[in-house]
């Protein structure tokens, strides 16, 4: 699925998120690999996320709207 893309990957300080289509209720969440929710935006409309506070490692970027959801993996490397 190509609903969202995040770049650059790996990222050091800013992750840019691009949504392929716009929807009424877009949610972006970031989880670490143990499933802990680290970022939760219930009103997403395309933006840059500051990743400087995240430790080096692998994270999951979850996008959801009223009809779809997508999960992408990204790497933080400072």
């Amino acid at each position: 699925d190509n609903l969202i893309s995040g770049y650059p990957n790996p990222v050091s300080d800013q992750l840019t998120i691009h949504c392929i289509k716009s929807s009424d209720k877009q949610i972006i969440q970031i989880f670490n690999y143990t499933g802990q929710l680290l970022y939760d935006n219930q009103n997403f409309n395309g933006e840059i996320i500051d990743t400087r506070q995240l430790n080096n490692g692998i994270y999951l970027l979850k996008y959801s709207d009223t009809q779809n959801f997508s999960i992408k993996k990204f790497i933080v490397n400072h």
Side-chain angles (χ1 to χ4, degrees):
D1 60 42
N2 292 318
L3 293 174
I4 59 167
S5 61
Y7 55 90
N9 190 6
V11 61
S12 60
D13 55 0
Q14 289 187 329
L15 181 68
T16 301
I17 298 174
H18 175 69
C19 287
I20 304 307
K21 64 185 189 75
S22 61
S23 177
D24 295 345
K25 175 86 172 144
Q26 295 180 308
I27 300 169
I28 289 286
Q29 296 171 312
I30 294 176
F31 297 88
N32 64 16
Y33 245 69
T34 62
Q36 181 182 6
L37 178 61
L38 304 175
Y39 177 89
D40 188 11
N41 184 340
Q42 298 287 318
N43 192 20
F44 177 80
N45 58 2
E47 64 200 52
I48 294 171
I49 297 175
D50 184 352
T51 57
R52 290 175 294 186
Q53 77 280 9
L54 298 177
N55 294 325
N56 286 354
I58 300 172
Y59 294 86
L60 297 176
L61 177 68
K62 180 181 179 185
Y63 164 88
S64 56
D65 61 29
T66 52
Q67 298 174 342
N68 307 286
F69 80 95
S70 176
I71 296 175
K72 298 286 189 197
K73 185 166 56 173
F74 71 96
I75 297 169
V76 173
N77 188 7
H78 299 292

